[in-house]
Amino acid sequence: MLHYKAAAPMVTRRLFSSQQLNPIKWGILSAGRIASDYAKAITITDGAVASAVAARCPTKAKEFATLHGIDKSYGCYHDVINSPEVDVVYIATTADHHFEWAKQSLLAGKPTVVEKPMTLRLADTKELIDLARQNNTFLMEGMWTRCFPAMHKLRQIIAAGELGRIVYCQGDFGWKFPTNNLDDRIWYKESGGVTLDIGMYCAQIGRVAFPNAQLKDVRATGTVKNGVDYSVMATVRYQQEDIEAEDGLLQFAVTGAANTEERLVIQGTKGRAILDAPFHVPERLRVSKDQGRGETEEIVYDYPLPNDPFEVWNNPGSIGFFHQINEVGKALKEGRNECDSYTWNDSLEVALIVDEIVDQVRGEGNDVSSSGACRQQ
């Protein structure tokens, strides 16, 4: 059985002053593509404003600030972290710099949201969470999918037992990597690859489907291209809360070779739930309840995204960042150090799964005869 040390919940709460409550002021580290989408989402979120941005190139930071109507721009990340005009820092650097700058932000006592993945390894994720706990500081990994209303409804349905005991989940996610540009961040040896990029969208479903279960093992196989995991098939087993019940299963495929359907199915003993494509920005949840063999009653829940004032986004569905921005603002106003939708323990478990998959797939390379057996920890 796989183990990680769960983060103890914080008891002491630090409330923001009334001057900070309206609005929550965001500082953005990076002037890249994801940062641009996040800045746009901030502009449509009530009670939030982007007040500062930093990039390694001051000119690029200034251009970014002008484009997004941000007052302050800097050529040094420390200037945003230490700014009294910033309530919370959003770290949108490439993943290989997440740990470094999240640590600096937390050491400065600044509430911090780190674009996923929080770090590249479980040990580093645990270090950041321990630091946030010690410093009584808000920290969240940017698993924005968990903040969508469709995901909240799905968790409510599972908790209420409407699907019965969950038997298994199946999902997929894939997009075509730029094979003609080996300088793209997706090919970085340390931080690239399909698992760290999109695999965690599937991996996080385990704690949704099996919220009270114990992670048991992870088995993965796949292919490697240019030194990074390229296509992956993974199975994650959970020991159910009822030890008499069979293990729960999460199975998913992720790939950089094709644009896949990207649908999620959660099957229970009384019915199933389906998050229609693209499930990482879910707008429709379909719930089918068994009425007998071959007979079901389907209920459809629609949660459309708001009207979009922008013509261009770098990534599809990025307007949905506003759900996460809202939840972070609410948590800060209530003096909480975690976001209920995606907790520190969620980050720890997903980091463990991702570690296992990357190690197994990159370890076996293209050798399809390799067993991919899970390390026991």
Side-chain angles (χ1 to χ4, degrees):
M1 198 172 286
L2 296 172
H3 298 284
Y4 61 91
K5 185 177 180 181
M10 289 298 302
V11 176
T12 304
R13 295 184 173 184
R14 181 182 60 182
L15 292 173
F16 274 55
S17 70
S18 59
Q19 288 84 0
Q20 291 172 306
L21 292 179
N22 189 24
I24 295 293
K25 292 171 285 191
W26 289 78
I28 300 173
L29 300 194
S30 175
R33 292 164 58 86
I34 292 178
S36 180
D37 282 357
Y38 206 83
K40 289 179 180 179
I42 289 173
T43 66
I44 66 163
T45 306
D46 290 338
V49 64
S51 62
V53 61
R56 296 187 184 278
C57 172
T59 300
K60 188 174 181 181
K62 186 173 182 179
E63 290 172 351
F64 186 99
T66 300
L67 177 65
H68 296 290
I70 299 173
D71 288 341
K72 302 289 185 179
S73 66
Y74 302 99
C76 176
Y77 292 158
H78 282 292
D79 290 337
V80 168
I81 290 172
N82 295 322
S83 172
E85 295 301 314
V86 170
D87 298 326
V88 54
V89 171
Y90 170 62
I91 297 174
T93 63
T94 52
D96 50 332
H97 293 292
H98 285 180
F99 172 74
E100 171 190 1
W101 289 107
K103 185 173 182 178
Q104 291 298 314
S105 184
L106 292 171
L107 286 171
K110 191 74 76 174
T112 304
V113 176
V114 190
E115 184 54 52
K116 56 87 189 157
M118 184 182 290
T119 73
L120 303 183
R121 303 295 296 184
L122 171 63
D124 289 342
T125 295
K126 184 179 182 300
E127 182 176 338
L128 291 182
I129 289 171
D130 287 344
L131 182 58
R133 186 188 308 111
Q134 293 164 10
N135 287 3
N136 189 25
T137 304
F138 179 90
L139 173 66
M140 181 186 179
E141 182 174 18
M143 183 52 71
W144 58 312
T145 300
R146 286 282 194 91
C147 301
F148 279 68
M151 188 63 73
H152 292 321
K153 184 63 177 179
L154 174 60
R155 298 179 79 173
Q156 291 169 6
I157 288 170
I158 291 172
E162 294 183 34
L163 302 179
R165 177 177 54 79
I166 303 304
V167 180
Y168 69 81
C169 318
Q170 287 182 318
D172 69 275
F173 196 166
W175 67 279
K176 287 186 178 180
F177 286 4
T179 54
N180 60 342
N181 179 14
L182 297 185
D183 291 327
D184 190 277
R185 53 100 188 166
I186 206 67
W187 301 115
Y188 293 176
K189 293 295 188 294
E190 291 298 319
S191 59
V194 71
T195 307
L196 282 165
D197 187 54
I198 55 177
M200 54 194 316
Y201 282 117
C202 295
Q204 58 89 19
I205 293 299
R207 282 181 65 87
V208 174
F210 309 107
N212 300 311
Q214 173 68 48
L215 179 63
K216 193 170 184 179
D217 62 36
V218 179
R219 295 180 182 270
T221 187
T223 62
V224 173
K225 188 180 183 72
N226 298 322
V228 302
D229 43 304
Y230 188 53
S231 292
V232 170
M233 293 285 291
T235 300
V236 184
R237 283 199 302 167
Y238 291 85
Q239 181 176 297
Q240 303 270 25
E241 188 176 25
D242 179 1
I243 60 174
E244 300 298 323
E246 65 266 24
D247 293 339
L249 298 173
L250 165 63
Q251 185 179 62
F252 59 87
V254 289
T255 182
N259 299 315
T260 70
E261 181 183 14
E262 202 200 323
R263 189 176 70 141
L264 175 72
V265 178
I266 297 181
Q267 180 66 55
T269 56
K270 297 180 180 179
R272 71 200 57 82
I274 299 173
L275 284 174
D276 284 344
F279 86 79
H280 83 288
V281 285
E283 295 184 67
R284 170 169 289 190
L285 170 65
R286 293 186 286 127
V287 178
S288 296
K289 298 181 180 180
D290 292 343
Q291 304 298 309
R293 187 171 182 179
E295 297 181 9
T296 60
E297 174 191 15
E298 184 176 77
I299 304 172
V300 178
Y301 301 92
D302 283 316
Y303 303 94
L305 290 169
N307 292 330
D308 191 345
F310 299 102
E311 293 183 2
V312 179
W313 296 81
N314 291 307
N315 297 288
S318 287
I319 192 173
F321 275 134
F322 89 95
H323 291 304
Q324 176 179 285
I325 295 165
N326 269 328
E327 290 205 19
V328 171
K330 184 173 185 287
L332 293 178
K333 291 174 183 178
E334 294 175 354
R336 290 184 282 117
N337 290 333
E338 299 183 58
C339 199
D340 292 339
S341 292
Y342 202 68
T343 66
W344 294 344
N345 285 337
D346 288 326
S347 288
L348 287 168
E349 181 168 299
V350 171
L352 174 55
I353 293 171
V354 168
D355 269 14
E356 288 289 334
I357 293 172
V358 171
D359 287 350
Q360 289 177 30
V361 174
R362 294 195 187 186
E364 69 183 62
N366 291 309
D367 181 2
V368 297
S369 66
S370 179
S371 67
C374 179
R375 301 191 320 269
Q376 297 299 310
Q377 296 189 0

